[in-house]
């Protein structure tokens, strides 16, 4: 059974930094995309960043380029998202995603992923 468990969210002031992590179990992520998404209240879930596991490819949403960094820790089967220069508009529930499917809009599309974690809240105050 695939399980994705996010951790590391919290509250921070604008300009601050946070790291969120996703521990994956029951799933072999080699040579496939995994991603981070976020959803603010009354907004659509949007892709933030994705990484092609063991392949080195990275993609970022324009809104986070230069501020967020996605990385993998194969030894611990863990995905990280380092978030710097956080702004109030980054406030959202952040979700880890796995189980990528081709032809569903690419690695920043929520329709491309089968498996989701429960989310971790990130709140940025001004």
């Amino acid at each position: 059974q695939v399980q994705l468990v996010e951790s590391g969210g919290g509250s921070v002031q604008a300009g601050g930094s946070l790291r969120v992590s996703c521990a994956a179990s029951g799933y072999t992520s080699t040579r496939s995309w995994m991603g981070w998404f976020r959803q603010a209240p009354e907004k659509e879930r949007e892709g933030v960043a994705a990484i092609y596991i063991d392949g080195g490819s990275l993609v970022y949403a324009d809104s986070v380029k230069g501020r967020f960094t996605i990385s993998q820790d194969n030894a611990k089967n863990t995905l990280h998202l380092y978030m710097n220069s956080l702004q109030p508009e980054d406030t959202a529930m952040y979700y880890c995603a796995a189980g990528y499917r081709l032809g569903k809009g690419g690695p920043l599309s929520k329709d491309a992923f089968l498996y989701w974690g429960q989310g971790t809240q990130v709140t940025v105050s001004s």
Side-chain angles (χ1 to χ4, degrees):
Q1 182 178 353
V2 177
Q3 193 170 19
L4 303 173
V5 180
E6 298 95 337
S7 61
S11 297
V12 65
Q13 289 191 326
S17 299
L18 280 174
R19 184 188 77 170
V20 291
S21 299
C22 171
S25 60
Y27 175 74
T28 301
S29 58
T30 302
R31 298 292 178 181
S32 181
W33 290 94
M34 289 186 69
W36 283 100
F37 289 73
R38 66 186 181 187
Q39 188 167 16
E42 300 182 338
K43 289 192 175 181
E44 291 277 328
R45 188 170 297 191
E46 63 174 353
V48 174
I51 183 168
Y52 190 73
I53 302 297
D54 296 335
S57 295
L58 308 172
V59 292
Y60 294 95
D62 288 343
S63 58
V64 306
K65 278 180 184 175
R67 300 189 300 123
F68 290 13
T69 301
I70 187 171
S71 68
Q72 62 178 93
D73 182 342
N74 282 351
K76 298 181 180 180
N77 211 23
T78 301
L79 196 66
H80 301 291
L81 184 68
Y82 297 86
M83 303 180 289
N84 297 314
S85 302
L86 284 161
Q87 299 301 316
E89 53 266 34
D90 295 315
T91 295
M93 188 72 82
Y94 282 72
Y95 298 91
C96 175
Y100 181 71
R101 301 178 295 174
L102 289 170
K104 296 292 186 180
L108 291 183
S109 169
K110 64 182 186 299
D111 296 328
F113 291 92
L114 283 173
Y115 308 116
W116 296 87
Q118 83 289 348
T120 184
Q121 179 67 36
V122 171
T123 302
V124 185
S125 58
S126 58

